Amino acid sequence: MSQISASLPLLGFAAFSGTGKTTLLEAMLPKLVERGIRIAVIKHAHHNFDIDQEGKDSYRLRKAGASQMLISSRYRRALVTETPEEANLPHLISQLDQTALDLILVEGFKKLDFPKIELHREEVGKPWLHPDDSNIIAVAANIPVNTHLPQMDINNLDQITDFVVNFAQGTLEKPSLDCSDVNNSGMLSVEEGRAKILDKIITSPREVAVSLENALGQIVAQDILSPVNVPQHTNSAMDGYAIRGSDCELESFTVVGQVMAGHCYDKPLEAGQAVRIMTGAPVPQGADTVIMREQAEQTDDLVRFDTTQFGIKKGQNVRQAGEDLALGQVAIAAGSVITAPEVGMIASLGLNNVTITQPLKVAIFSTGDEVQQPGETQKENCIYDSNRFTLQAMLSKIGCQVIDFGIIEDNETSLQTTLNAASEQADMILSSGGVSVGDADYIKTVLDALGQINFWRINMRPGRPLAFGQIKDTPFFGLPGNPVAVIVAFLQFVEPALRKMQGCNWQPTCYTAIATEKLRSRTGRTEYTRGIYQLDANGRLTVQSTGQQGSGILRSMSEANCLIEILPEQPNAEVGDKVRVIPLTGRI
């Protein structure tokens, strides 16, 4: 079900009949008005109702057949509409003049997707709502409850009023990493979620020395300083003749020697002399200019240079000692990823080993009795586990070591045993599945018992449900169960956390491209569409989707070379609109 939204704070009161929703609202409204809050109330009634009295003119006209009856006086106006079918909450919100309001309060609609306060009275004898509704942001009850949500006394009207005012004004005091830390949509934005995760990630990488052959893809732990000048000597940038720059005007030169790469001419160069030289060979003492061989005409020991097409400029075609790297200069900074060019550079410095950040160990497992190991005969109503293999590949891509705990049975003992073992062996724990509203209660119970875990709804698609926290002192991510959602959540939240733990200087690459098709989204939500970007005939970067975008369609990801990120403030991308693209090459 899609998130209900409004242009201003929207807050519901969820409770079973008999709890006292209307009584509480009736008592609280005057207090909110005293605080300067302009309020609209939407009430859901399960039965027929009339708002005007029998016998009144408006009542008589409506009963006579008016499908819409607008009543107006100097004090108020009311529109009574006969509806053949029940109006939904978004339509009701659209009927309000939101420019004249600060807050919309809703009584009822407790099964819809928007922020709510749960009201609970023990004597009513009804179950709690918040364990199965992640849109509940606080609880007001007459008994204590075991929850991380803010709790209020249902009989303390001032306390509840303060909470509502703070919600309306966007000034809720929210404990760090609490699932009540939501915006007025009832969910965290992608940026908020990522920032809170990174704030809790501690960077304390361990160092280890490895041979150069095993360094590819690893993270440099310490600045690598050049032990030599690169190049070591001032040398020729091409095959030709080395001369003194002060002799450029001479018509001919005496060739006094030849120097090959790896050798040298060990005498000072005198006026009018030239040395034939090969690319990379050190220039003789006194020489500072090289003239390319194609400009030269040598007869015996005399050489002349054709300067009609190319002149001679002092210092040309000579690479100075230390021009690439000076002795003691930082060649590769700590936190850099070692790719093929870095391997070559380290080797060129004469180094055969490098100190790297010790690879992180990441424990992974999948949950669900419906999940099967590939290679087995498929059982009825079961699916093969793809998420573990996807995660293993992405983790290996960024230099992590994977500890695979396999598929965990849907019972409390198996989960608790696995989490305990994983927290002792790994630097991070990843699970897939089991973090959505409606999943088995024991999952949340076990996670709460072993650590501090918060269940969030991230305002994005795909990948909305996310759990994050610590099992003992080990960071834990509970990822969604849908295969594409797992990949998107990993890229947006897990990889940045791992990069920080690695001490890596890393930022994801983003480009701006032009949409060649309409890309649908919803205002207020970050949408990730799998796409293909390329240069068109005019040299513009363009992007299109890979087709069907269901969060279970892995093909949409395998055919993509980017994610198209449509930001919350951009409702849709029309053809020709600019959109942000996140390249996937090298990341998945």
Side-chain angles (χ1 to χ4, degrees):
M1 183 177 295
S2 61
Q3 179 77 18
I4 306 297
S5 62
S7 63
L8 48 85
L10 174 70
L11 179 63
F13 288 83
F16 288 98
S17 178
T19 307
K21 299 188 296 295
T22 303
T23 301
L24 186 145
L25 282 170
E26 183 182 19
M28 184 171 58
L29 283 170
K31 292 181 176 290
L32 293 172
V33 172
E34 289 176 5
R35 305 280 193 96
I37 306 293
R38 299 172 300 171
I39 313 146
V41 177
I42 297 175
K43 177 178 173 61
H44 183 224
H46 292 284
H47 48 77
N48 190 20
F49 68 91
D50 279 312
I51 67 166
D52 50 356
Q53 298 177 10
E54 187 173 355
K56 294 291 185 180
D57 292 349
S58 58
Y59 181 90
R60 291 166 55 195
L61 294 171
R62 182 165 56 86
K63 290 299 184 181
S67 61
Q68 296 188 40
M69 182 69 217
L70 180 61
I71 315 164
S72 179
S73 75
R74 60 176 296 187
Y75 300 107
R76 66 188 60 88
R77 63 181 179 269
L79 175 64
V80 184
T81 303
E82 298 298 313
T83 53
E85 59 183 35
E86 188 172 10
N88 57 35
L89 182 56
H91 175 73
L92 297 176
I93 292 172
S94 71
Q95 302 301 298
L96 299 173
D97 179 7
Q98 297 187 40
T99 63
L101 297 171
D102 302 304
L103 173 67
I104 302 172
L105 297 180
V106 179
E107 180 184 340
F109 294 106
K110 67 174 180 285
K111 294 184 179 180
L112 297 186
D113 233 1
F114 66 99
K116 312 180 194 79
I117 298 173
E118 178 179 1
L119 305 179
H120 182 93
R121 292 187 184 275
E122 181 68 11
E123 58 270 23
V124 175
K126 296 293 185 179
W128 294 97
L129 298 172
H130 65 269
D132 296 319
D133 187 352
S134 63
N135 292 294
I136 291 176
I137 64 172
V139 175
N142 60 351
I143 59 168
V145 57
N146 181 23
T147 178
H148 293 304
L149 294 170
Q151 297 185 51
M152 297 170 281
D153 182 350
I154 196 172
N155 298 312
N156 189 332
L157 192 59
D158 288 333
Q159 186 184 24
I160 300 174
T161 301
D162 287 341
F163 184 93
V164 173
V165 170
N166 288 334
F167 177 88
Q169 296 175 343
T171 58
L172 280 179
E173 293 185 6
K174 304 174 279 250
S176 177
L177 290 174
D178 193 283
C179 56
S180 66
D181 195 356
V182 294
N183 53 33
N184 289 338
S185 72
M187 292 186 282
L188 284 171
S189 70
V190 174
E191 293 76 13
E192 288 169 334
R194 185 162 49 232
K196 291 179 181 300
I197 288 168
L198 292 178
D199 185 58
K200 288 295 180 180
I201 293 296
I202 298 173
T203 304
S204 56
R206 299 177 294 273
E207 299 179 2
V208 61
V210 298
S211 67
L212 191 54
E213 292 83 355
N214 295 320
L216 185 65
Q218 301 302 324
I219 311 299
V220 178
Q222 303 173 1
D223 287 347
I224 298 177
L225 305 180
S226 178
V228 295
N229 283 321
V230 181
Q232 186 175 2
H233 305 284
T234 300
N235 67 84
S236 177
M238 60 178 54
D239 294 348
Y241 292 83
I243 65 171
R244 302 194 320 177
S246 57
D247 294 342
C248 288
E249 301 300 325
L250 297 178
E251 292 184 359
S252 63
F253 295 81
T254 302
V255 179
V256 295
Q258 176 173 291
V259 57
M260 308 293 288
H263 299 272
C264 69
Y265 180 78
D266 57 4
K267 298 175 183 178
L269 203 62
E270 303 292 342
Q273 293 182 337
V275 168
R276 189 172 182 182
I277 194 167
M278 302 299 141
T279 302
V283 298
Q285 183 182 346
D288 58 7
T289 303
V290 172
I291 303 167
M292 72 177 80
R293 185 175 56 189
E294 289 79 1
Q295 284 182 265
E297 182 180 340
Q298 183 176 348
T299 304
D300 297 327
D301 60 351
L302 287 179
V303 63
R304 291 179 174 83
F305 303 114
D306 179 6
T307 59
T308 56
Q309 186 175 3
F310 302 102
I312 299 175
K313 183 178 180 181
K314 182 179 179 180
Q316 70 182 28
N317 302 326
V318 171
R319 297 183 297 198
Q320 300 296 320
E323 183 175 282
D324 293 341
L325 281 172
L327 175 66
Q329 183 180 344
V330 175
I332 303 175
S336 301
V337 179
I338 300 175
T339 62
E342 283 75 29
V343 170
M345 184 181 293
I346 295 168
S348 75
L349 300 178
L351 304 174
N352 63 353
N353 59 63
V354 60
T355 301
I356 63 167
T357 297
Q358 184 170 313
L360 296 172
K361 296 179 180 179
V362 181
I364 62 173
F365 62 89
S366 297
T367 60
D369 286 340
E370 78 283 5
V371 182
Q372 267 189 268
Q373 177 74 12
E376 298 176 349
T377 302
Q378 189 168 20
K379 302 175 184 176
E380 189 175 358
N381 302 318
C382 289
I383 58 173
Y384 287 119
D385 182 12
S386 64
N387 290 344
R388 266 174 40 249
F389 296 91
T390 300
L391 289 173
Q392 185 166 358
M394 289 191 295
L395 289 166
S396 299
K397 196 88 173 177
I398 59 175
C400 295
Q401 295 180 1
V402 178
I403 305 173
D404 186 3
F405 281 87
I407 301 169
I408 306 305
E409 296 178 4
D410 268 342
N411 64 69
E412 189 169 334
T413 301
S414 295
L415 181 61
Q416 188 159 351
T417 300
T418 300
L419 287 171
N420 274 321
S423 66
E424 293 173 358
Q425 299 177 40
D427 301 299
M428 180 182 285
I429 305 170
L430 303 181
S431 74
S432 65
V435 296
S436 299
V437 174
D439 285 322
D441 288 338
Y442 75 82
I443 294 176
K444 299 175 177 63
T445 302
V446 171
L447 292 173
D448 285 340
L450 295 179
Q452 297 179 337
I453 306 297
N454 298 278
F455 292 87
W456 291 339
R457 289 169 64 84
I458 303 295
N459 200 6
M460 61 185 280
R461 192 183 74 163
R464 182 178 296 180
L466 178 74
F468 172 74
Q470 290 82 31
I471 301 296
K472 299 177 181 177
D473 293 324
T474 305
F476 168 85
F477 283 89
L479 302 177
N482 286 323
V484 175
V486 165
I487 296 174
V488 174
F490 181 95
L491 294 173
Q492 294 303 313
F493 304 108
V494 180
E495 184 177 6
L498 286 168
R499 293 298 194 183
K500 183 176 179 181
M501 292 176 70
Q502 291 172 326
C504 182
N505 300 325
W506 178 83
Q507 287 292 331
T509 301
C510 293
Y511 301 128
T512 298
I514 298 171
T516 59
E517 65 180 86
K518 183 172 182 176
L519 300 168
R520 299 187 180 277
S521 182
R522 186 171 62 80
T523 304
R525 178 175 68 193
T526 303
E527 187 94 17
Y528 293 100
T529 299
R530 280 72 74 199
I532 301 171
Y533 73 98
Q534 58 191 350
L535 290 175
D536 67 7
N538 297 317
R540 302 179 308 168
L541 195 65
T542 60
V543 68
Q544 64 186 53
S545 76
T546 56
Q548 292 185 340
Q549 296 291 306
S551 58
I553 304 175
L554 267 176
R555 182 180 176 183
S556 69
M557 184 64 78
S558 69
E559 294 179 348
N561 64 6
C562 71
L563 291 178
I564 307 169
E565 184 179 55
I566 302 179
L567 300 175
E569 59 269 20
Q570 187 175 5
N572 285 301
E574 302 292 339
V575 175
D577 284 353
K578 292 181 178 180
V579 293
R580 181 184 296 179
V581 296
I582 303 170
L584 296 175
T585 304
R587 296 187 68 186
I588 62 173

